[in-house]
Amino acid sequence: MQVSLPKYQFKTAHLEGFFWMAALLALALHSPLDEGHASLCLAKNLNIGFCPGCGLGTSVSWLFRGHLSQSFLSHPLGIPAVVILIHRIWTIFKSPKATHTKN
């Protein structure tokens, strides 16, 4: 007996979901110990000491490796950010309608 799965129908609103999935996958594959890469952080490139976003990607990388305490120490909002993004991805693909409205 063969079970048929429903066919996936692409919608342009799903592009956001694919973007967030790719971003989470990239952070999951990125080593949190690797400091030798170029940074897109403007504050880091301008040698400004404080940046509220720095450490967020490292926090997510530690989280995907199961190191919750190191993840929290890297950035306290890393764990909530992953939960929010997963919820957003779920909402985008679950909704039968487009999630974006045009004004």
Side-chain angles (χ1 to χ4, degrees):
M1 180 175 187
Q2 185 177 4
V3 177
S4 63
L5 297 173
K7 285 191 171 189
Y8 172 74
Q9 184 176 1
F10 178 77
K11 297 177 184 173
T12 56
H14 292 175
L15 288 175
E16 180 187 355
F18 287 123
F19 172 80
W20 288 124
M21 285 191 300
L24 287 176
L25 179 63
L27 288 172
L29 296 174
H30 177 263
S31 172
L33 299 174
D34 184 21
E35 293 293 330
H37 63 281
S39 176
L40 297 176
C41 177
L42 183 62
K44 186 175 183 179
N45 289 334
L46 294 175
N47 290 325
I48 299 172
F50 174 71
C51 175
C54 280
L56 193 57
T58 305
S59 175
V60 173
S61 293
W62 281 119
L63 179 64
F64 280 116
R65 284 164 176 70
H67 300 279
L68 296 177
S69 62
Q70 190 65 34
S71 174
F72 185 80
L73 290 173
S74 294
H75 199 291
L77 296 178
I79 297 169
V82 170
V83 171
I84 290 168
L85 287 176
I86 290 173
H87 179 266
R88 179 66 183 147
I89 292 166
W90 176 262
T91 303
I92 289 169
F93 287 106
K94 184 178 178 196
S95 175
K97 296 180 183 178
T99 58
H100 303 291
T101 58
K102 294 182 181 181
N103 293 333

